[in-house]
Amino acid sequence: MSEPETEQSDDESRTYDPDADHAFPDERLNEVLEFVQNDPEIQTYLDAQNVNPVVRKGYNDHGSKHISIVRNRALGLYNLLKKGGVEFNGASQQGLDEADESVIVALAATIHDIGHVVHRDEHAYWSIPLAADVLDRILPQFDFYGTEEVVRVKGEVLHAILCHHTEEDPLTTEAGVVRVADALDMEEGRSRMPYEKGGRGIDTVSSQAIQRVSLRQGDTVPVLVEIEMLNAAGVYQIDNLLKAKLRDSGLEDDIRIVAVNIRDGDNNLVERVEL
C-alpha cells in the first residue's frame, strides 16, 4: 500500500497463536481448540462438507481449509475489536464469562458449514441440528462447563451459526464476528478447485481477482480490512458478499474496508473501493 492506513505493519490475523498475548482471556479457548483439532467427528465433517458445494455444484471451497481461514479471521477480528474497546453481548447477557466469548466465536466458526453434508442450499439451517449434536457431545467434556453453561454456550454458538448466511440478523456481537469472518475468506486460493475444473462463475472469477486480505488495527475504527485485488472482478466479492455480510452485523461502525487494485495499467476500471 502506498500510504500507511494503520499503526500496525503486519497482519496479525492470518493464524491464531495460542501462545501469543491477546486482548481477552484465552485459556478456555486454547483448551477447546486443542480438543477440536483432535476430534475425529468434527474433522470428518470438515472434509465431508466440501463434497456438495465443490464436487457436485462447482462452488468455492467450504471444507477444512475454509474453516481454518474463517476461524483464524474470526479470532483475529475478535481480538482487534476487544483491543478497540468493543463490548460483546452474547456471553454476558447469558450470564457467561468473558472467557466464553472467544469459545463461542471459535466453535461457531468451526462448525458453521457442516450442514453442507446435507445440501448446499439452505445449508445454515441444516447446520443447526448437526451442530447441536456435536455441541451436546463435546461441551460437557470441559471442566469449566456445567449443565447450565452447556445450554447457554450451545445456544449462543447455534445463534451465530444460523446468522452467518441467512436473513436472520445477528443479535450478538459474537455472531456478527462469525458472519463477517465468513466473508473474509475471499482470496484467490479459495476458488482454485472450481477454477481448475473450468468453472468461470462470478463467485470463482471474482475470488480469483483477490490477492490478499489483511486485518489491522485502524486509526479511526477498531478494525481496518485491507484488500488487494488484481482487477475489477474483485469488486463483486467486496460489494456483494463482504458488504452484504457486514450490513446488519452490528459491526458496521467498527470495521472499515479499503480495497485497492494493485495491478498497474491504463485500463483499470476500479482503482480503489472504500466502505
Side-chain angles (χ1 to χ4, degrees):
M1 310 289 292
S2 59
E3 297 179 2
E5 297 282 354
T6 69
E7 298 175 355
Q8 291 177 282
S9 60
D10 297 324
D11 177 7
E12 62 177 53
S13 68
R14 299 193 76 82
T15 303
Y16 172 77
D17 182 0
D19 296 321
D21 292 330
H22 299 112
F24 58 89
D26 58 12
E27 292 83 2
R28 291 183 182 180
L29 169 65
N30 292 339
E31 186 173 338
V32 169
L33 287 177
E34 182 177 5
F35 181 95
V36 165
Q37 291 298 109
N38 294 288
D39 184 73
E41 182 186 17
I42 293 176
Q43 296 306 313
T44 302
Y45 266 124
L46 302 191
D47 288 333
Q49 70 192 35
N50 223 15
V51 174
N52 277 328
V54 174
V55 177
R56 295 171 179 164
K57 300 206 72 171
Y59 288 170
N60 290 348
D61 176 51
H62 285 79
S64 56
K65 182 63 175 179
H66 168 64
I67 294 304
S68 176
I69 292 171
V70 172
R71 184 172 58 233
N72 283 319
R73 293 300 196 190
L75 291 174
L77 181 57
Y78 171 71
N79 192 51
L80 287 169
L81 290 168
K82 293 290 284 188
K83 284 183 179 179
V86 174
E87 294 186 3
F88 282 70
N89 66 311
S92 62
Q93 289 176 346
Q94 289 286 2
L96 296 166
D97 296 332
E98 181 186 9
D100 299 318
E101 295 171 356
S102 59
V103 172
I104 291 166
V105 168
L107 284 175
T110 300
I111 56 178
H112 73 277
D113 269 345
I114 64 174
H116 277 100
V117 300
V118 180
H119 206 290
R120 160 66 187 175
D121 300 343
E122 308 293 336
H123 68 274
Y125 297 102
W126 298 117
S127 290
I128 294 300
L130 298 176
D133 287 346
V134 170
L135 295 169
D136 282 340
R137 176 177 61 84
I138 70 172
L139 287 176
Q141 300 191 44
F142 300 107
D143 293 338
F144 38 83
Y145 291 144
T147 300
E148 182 176 345
E149 290 78 17
V150 165
V151 170
R152 296 179 184 276
V153 170
K154 173 185 172 182
E156 292 304 309
V157 173
L158 294 179
H159 173 73
I161 291 173
L162 178 67
C163 296
H164 91 272
H165 193 77
T166 62
E167 295 180 355
E168 286 79 12
D169 294 333
L171 303 178
T172 69
T173 322
E174 289 92 329
V177 166
V178 175
R179 181 183 179 98
V180 173
D182 186 41
L184 291 173
D185 182 15
M186 62 169 65
E187 292 177 352
E188 57 186 332
R190 188 178 185 196
S191 60
R192 176 182 57 82
M193 288 183 282
Y195 190 83
E196 289 178 351
K197 292 180 179 180
R200 295 297 184 270
I202 185 61
D203 288 299
T204 299
V205 173
S206 61
S207 183
Q208 285 284 306
I210 303 296
Q211 185 170 73
R212 185 177 178 88
V213 178
S214 302
L215 302 187
R216 309 184 192 280
Q217 186 172 351
D219 294 328
T220 57
V221 294
V223 182
L224 172 66
V225 179
E226 290 182 330
I227 301 172
E228 297 176 1
M229 60 183 180
L230 300 174
N231 58 64
V235 174
Y236 176 84
Q237 289 283 324
I238 299 163
D239 200 45
N240 290 64
L241 301 180
L242 179 54
K243 181 180 177 181
K245 292 217 173 183
L246 180 60
R247 185 187 305 118
D248 297 325
S249 68
L251 298 172
E252 299 93 330
D253 295 333
D254 301 311
I255 299 175
R256 178 184 173 208
I257 301 170
V258 176
V260 176
N261 192 337
I262 62 172
R263 177 169 288 173
D264 294 331
D266 297 331
N267 297 319
N268 288 339
L269 296 176
V270 177
E271 293 185 355
R272 182 183 177 94
V273 176
E274 185 166 346
L275 303 178

